[in-house]
Amino acid sequence: MDHKRAPLNRFLWVLGTIVVVLYALVPVAWLVSLSLKPADELSNGKFLPRSPTLDNYTGAKGVFNDPQFPSALRNSVGIALIATVLAVTLAMFAAYAIVRLDFPGKQFVLGGALAIAMFPPVSIIGPLFNMWRSLRLFDTWPGLIIPYMTFTLPLAIWTLSAFFREIPWDLDKAARVDGATPFQAFRRIIAPLAAPGVFTSAILVFIFAWNDFLFATSLTSTNRARTVPAAIAFFTGSSQFDFPAGQIAAGSVVVTIPIILMVLVFQRRIVAGLTSGAVKG
Amino acid sequence: MAEIVLDKVTKKYGDGFEAVKEADFTIRDGEFFILVGPSGCGKSTLLNMIVGLEDITSGELRVGGKVVNDVDPKDRNMAMVFQSYAIYPHLTVRENMEFPLKLRRMDKAEIDRRVDEAARILELTEHLDRKPGNLSGGQRQRVAMGRAVVREPSAFLMDEPLSNLDAKLRVQMRTAISRIQQRLGTTTVYVTHDQVEAMTLGDRVAVLRRGEVQQVGTPRELYNTPRNLFVAGFIGSPAMNLLPGELDGRNLRLPMVELELPEDVAERLDGRPGRVIAGIRPEDFEDATLVEDRSGGATFTTKVDVLEWLGSELYAHFAVEQGAGELADLAEDLETVELGGDEGAQVVARLDVRSDAREGRDAELWVNARAIHLFDPDDGRALVRHDESIDLRHGDEARSPREVAGAGG
Ligand SMILES: Nc1ncnc2c1ncn2[C@@H]1O[C@H](COP(=O)(O)OP(=O)(O)OP(=O)(O)O)[C@@H](O)[C@H]1O
Ligand SMILES: [Mg+2]
């Protein structure tokens, strides 16, 4: 960096960072604060709750005692995890083939994947609704897993092939010459190097599935498969005049936590120098 | 330890490209063997076939008498050093070197003994617990060497192992590799596109071009008796001067001088008179005033354009006239060799440093007729049959017919 301009530069950097962080975090903080407020404080317009309480979480009307929230949470976790595992596994095979092998139609696969990613999901909801009903997939886990997998595959294939392209494949050959079977070479050399890429795309896929609202509301009708984002929308107050803002906030906080945890846990692995030092440099 | 025999080994890639055509030679047990040639000539392909990373399309590869065409690379017991080093980045230097031994389930004490010994030879002892990412280029190169050495393999295969190092380090590592190979006595196949590396390291050298083996021989053989124009132009620095000539009996007319070939050379000439290409190495010129016996050559006068004095060496550049474009096709064909532009060819002569030639002035030069190489202008083949009598002059071992197969293509 140019040293003469460093102070100004730093100032602008810090300012920019603060703006971005505030912009991103204030709504989240507001949500947390809302979820901690007792019912009578909800609309007092204060940022900090005067007498914070966990009523909205564990109280009689709290989310965890809501008839549908716990099962929604279970559905969310299960569906998102299964969709992630399936999408990433398939994408790994696809990306490996795209990076390592020469086959006709390679560009077509990549282009097609991109086209699917661009496709607005809302345009297939109607037909899907009817199809799922006749296929008895409506309101089931597979009924959500399949569209999640389909819509996240392109993303996963693209991120994974970008990562795989960075892996020095000479290492694979080196391991083979060193006496490894193809499987040993994969497990001991390639897999550790590919892990950050796999985790990154897994997180992206998981977040997509976890956050989805569109499919979740349209393709479910009961607690059998309804996920948290849809369930929150079905929260009702004790009367029709009672808007359960506190519980909704609490529910939102609960769905946000797993995502934040996941990113925090894996960011080390994602950021960890992918292949530094493998080849010349 | 193993002798590696290539028997008409051919590689055709999936897209139909024939990268190696009927390579046919033997790499002797314990030999330091070099594959050299311009970029894209199929050196790496050939090496990868020997180590088993590429399938052999046709032909046979025998190692220690056994056909290994279909043997998996892991079972060939060969160690390879890659141009990119291919060190495992997530393992420490020690773990890198242990990797092949652990795969063989060797016991811990033996692994430690071998790794420590290799680290000592390669001066890596204090880096054993570091990750490769933090090492310098030269150190990484040594780690790659170490991983090969600890295995005590039947052969070392190296694909341009030094090309990522800077010039000084390259020379250092060159001698280091040579020392290690001599000490271990392991058969080594070494790929390079640098003819200096090839000449200095190799016991024997195979020159490749467009997938075809041009000539196999000791560095001396390649230098003194190139089988064709390509080898003549590729080996040697500065390169051999190539000039158009006109042969009439024993008489050879060159652009700058007309000379008479010695009787024994003319006898072994297996070509009709007419147009030829004459090759003259820079050292086969001399300042005429310093030559006592001028009988074996011819003297001519020319203007010295550029004089390069390097202390122990003196190079005089002069131009000769030649028919425009006469050698242009050939130049293209030779890829690496400069045959001069429209104004005529630039010729480089190496003179004794005592010479008092001056830049821009005329100088009287002498050319050694005995050392002139003659080539067929149509196919580039050497016209003088190079049989033992010439090799004996330098005391080289005689070649078997197999080793020269493929020459002249
Ligand atoms: N997988 C492949 N498919 C098709 N052609 C290939 C393949 N690999 C290499 N080739 C071709 O085979 C020829 C020889 O390649 P090779 O890598 O052996 O050259 P090289 O002599 O090692 O060159 P360099 O000095 O640049 O490394 C080249 O023309 C290359 O284009
Ligand atoms: Mg190569």
Side-chain angles (χ1 to χ4, degrees):
Chain A
M1 197 188 283
D2 188 346
H3 280 280
K4 274 186 217 120
R5 281 194 306 176
L8 178 64
N9 239 337
R10 250 229 314 275
F11 173 73
L12 289 177
W13 266 106
V14 170
L15 191 72
T17 311
I18 289 173
V19 168
V20 169
V21 168
L22 282 183
Y23 182 80
L25 284 188
V26 163
V28 177
W30 190 261
L31 205 63
V32 172
S33 135
L34 212 53
S35 76
L36 294 174
K37 284 178 174 179
D40 55 341
E41 275 185 45
L42 276 178
S43 44
N44 68 356
K46 294 263 161 41
F47 187 75
L48 290 177
R50 236 179 296 134
S51 47
T53 159
L54 287 177
D55 267 0
N56 288 322
Y57 293 91
T58 53
K61 287 200 302 175
V63 283
F64 288 111
N65 289 322
D66 186 275
Q68 52 173 340
F69 192 79
S71 65
L73 203 56
R74 210 167 40 240
N75 290 339
S76 261
V77 172
I79 290 172
L81 279 182
I82 294 175
T84 305
V85 169
L86 288 178
V88 170
T89 312
L90 284 179
M92 260 162 66
F93 290 128
Y96 183 87
I98 286 167
V99 171
R100 293 295 316 270
L101 309 176
D102 248 330
F103 57 90
K106 186 159 134 178
Q107 287 311 312
F108 180 77
V109 171
L110 274 175
L114 197 63
I116 293 176
M118 304 283 182
F119 200 76
V122 71
S123 60
I124 63 159
I125 283 292
L128 210 55
F129 178 77
N130 288 326
M131 266 170 64
W132 264 206
R133 287 221 303 192
S134 41
L135 290 173
R136 300 178 175 282
L137 284 171
F138 184 76
D139 201 27
T140 61
W141 278 24
L144 284 182
I145 290 171
I146 293 171
Y148 290 166
M149 197 182 79
T150 314
F151 276 94
T152 51
L153 255 179
L155 176 74
I157 291 176
W158 275 82
T159 40
L160 279 174
S161 37
F163 270 101
F164 283 3
R165 234 170 248 133
E166 293 296 307
I167 293 179
W169 291 100
D170 267 1
L171 297 180
D172 181 51
K173 294 187 195 168
R176 298 279 287 120
V177 176
D178 276 348
T181 61
F183 180 71
Q184 280 174 322
F186 176 78
R187 193 173 61 81
R188 303 186 56 164
I189 304 299
I190 298 303
L193 294 176
V198 173
F199 278 113
T200 309
S201 55
I203 286 175
L204 294 175
V205 171
F206 185 85
I207 290 175
F208 176 92
W210 184 261
N211 288 347
D212 173 74
F213 180 69
L214 182 67
F215 291 109
T217 44
S218 327
L219 301 178
T220 62
S221 59
T222 68
N223 287 348
R224 263 175 78 200
R226 186 177 283 152
T227 60
V228 175
I232 290 176
F234 284 88
F235 277 169
T236 48
S238 45
S239 72
Q240 68 184 93
F241 305 108
D242 180 18
F243 180 65
Q247 282 97 306
I248 290 179
S252 309
V253 170
V254 172
V255 285
T256 315
I257 286 170
I259 297 285
I260 293 179
L261 278 184
M262 232 170 106
V263 172
L264 285 184
V265 168
F266 291 126
Q267 83 169 356
R268 273 274 190 79
R269 305 210 62 152
I270 300 169
V271 177
L274 183 52
T275 57
S276 55
V279 291
K280 62 170 172 159
Chain B
M1 306 294 121
E3 181 182 67
I4 301 170
V5 180
L6 289 91
D7 190 352
K8 297 207 166 50
V9 169
T10 298
K11 176 71 192 183
K12 211 173 195 159
Y13 276 113
D15 57 1
F17 185 82
E18 215 175 346
V20 175
K21 295 169 197 152
E22 304 214 338
D24 204 53
F25 54 84
T26 299
I27 299 162
R28 297 178 195 139
D29 188 13
E31 187 169 50
F32 201 129
F33 193 90
I34 309 262
L35 296 173
V36 69
S39 185
C41 68
K43 309 179 292 285
S44 300
T45 305
L46 197 48
L47 199 71
N48 287 338
M49 285 194 288
I50 295 175
V51 78
L53 291 172
E54 290 283 0
D55 291 334
I56 294 170
T57 312
S58 70
E60 221 172 65
L61 176 70
R62 291 189 291 274
V63 177
K66 283 203 242 0
V67 179
V68 297
N69 283 37
D70 299 320
V71 176
D72 192 86
K74 77 179 162 57
D75 301 321
R76 293 198 188 188
N77 193 26
M78 295 179 177
M80 181 144 172
V81 178
F82 291 78
Q83 179 173 9
S84 63
Y85 312 149
I87 308 172
Y88 311 127
H90 56 300
L91 304 179
T92 63
V93 170
R94 178 185 288 280
E95 288 165 339
N96 261 282
M97 300 215 275
E98 284 173 348
F99 183 74
L101 306 182
K102 280 191 169 156
L103 285 174
R104 280 199 264 163
R105 303 180 192 285
M106 197 173 275
D107 66 69
K108 185 86 183 91
E110 175 67 5
I111 293 181
D112 286 344
R113 191 189 65 74
R114 289 201 191 180
V115 169
D116 289 339
E117 156 128 30
R120 196 173 45 74
I121 298 174
L122 292 159
E123 296 169 21
L124 284 170
T125 308
E126 67 259 51
H127 306 300
L128 275 176
D129 296 313
R130 296 174 69 189
K131 284 275 177 70
N134 309 326
L135 299 180
S136 73
Q139 287 164 340
R140 283 182 214 175
Q141 212 285 331
R142 293 205 298 267
V143 175
M145 284 289 296
R147 201 174 60 194
V149 167
V150 290
R151 292 181 47 194
E152 301 178 2
S154 59
F156 289 126
L157 305 177
M158 308 192 191
D159 194 347
E160 311 207 20
L162 306 183
S163 59
N164 285 329
L165 302 178
D166 62 50
K168 192 169 160 221
L169 211 50
R170 191 147 61 216
V171 175
Q172 270 175 22
M173 277 311 292
R174 197 162 76 197
T175 40
I177 288 181
S178 177
R179 233 186 4 251
I180 290 170
Q181 199 272 343
Q182 263 165 26
R183 177 171 163 164
L184 302 175
T186 308
T187 312
T188 302
V189 188
Y190 185 104
V191 164
T192 177
H193 61 257
D194 178 358
Q195 59 94 14
V196 178
E197 230 168 65
M199 300 294 273
T200 49
L201 277 175
D203 292 328
R204 284 193 312 146
V205 179
V207 181
L208 270 85
R209 175 186 176 221
R210 293 186 189 162
E212 284 178 59
V213 178
Q214 304 289 307
Q215 187 170 1
V216 180
T218 62
R220 272 167 197 274
E221 282 165 355
L222 298 183
Y223 191 84
N224 292 325
T225 58
R227 308 289 299 183
N228 59 31
L229 263 178
F230 179 78
V231 177
F234 191 78
I235 301 290
S237 168
M240 183 187 280
N241 300 294
L242 297 173
L243 302 164
E246 195 74 35
L247 194 63
D248 182 11
R250 279 174 59 191
N251 228 25
L252 176 67
R253 194 161 59 247
L254 293 176
M256 68 282 186
V257 67
E258 197 168 320
L259 50 75
E260 198 177 357
L261 295 174
E263 190 105 43
D264 57 323
V265 175
E267 253 168 36
R268 283 183 290 111
L269 215 56
D270 68 351
R272 66 229 166 280
R275 282 186 346 108
V276 293
I277 290 174
I280 310 172
R281 296 232 179 251
E283 65 270 26
D284 294 326
F285 290 100
E286 191 49 277
D287 186 334
T289 54
L290 298 170
V291 180
E292 276 148 34
D293 174 17
R294 299 187 189 179
S295 62
T299 306
F300 61 97
T301 305
T302 186
K303 195 181 104 187
V304 176
D305 293 331
V306 178
L307 205 62
E308 290 174 339
W309 181 77
L310 305 173
S312 62
E313 289 163 42
L314 181 68
Y315 290 104
H317 297 243
F318 60 92
V320 296
E321 309 217 335
Q322 66 182 45
E326 191 168 351
L327 292 179
D329 300 347
L330 197 68
E332 200 177 314
D333 213 36
L334 284 174
E335 293 164 38
T336 52
V337 187
E338 275 291 330
L339 287 177
D342 298 336
E343 321 88 59
Q346 273 289 325
V347 177
V348 183
R350 187 182 140 167
L351 309 179
D352 194 309
V353 282
R354 289 170 300 165
S355 161
D356 51 9
R358 289 285 169 273
E359 220 165 75
R361 294 243 212 94
D362 277 353
E364 201 185 8
L365 299 182
W366 175 81
V367 53
N368 183 357
R370 175 166 290 281
I372 286 182
H373 301 256
L374 294 175
F375 302 94
D376 188 321
D378 298 322
D379 58 11
R381 213 164 34 87
L383 287 176
V384 180
R385 285 192 315 278
H386 289 305
D387 43 31
E388 283 73 2
S389 61
I390 289 196
D391 296 339
L392 285 177
R393 196 173 69 175
H394 300 285
D396 285 340
E397 45 192 323
R399 292 153 299 162
S400 72
R402 155 156 292 161
E403 293 156 24
V404 296

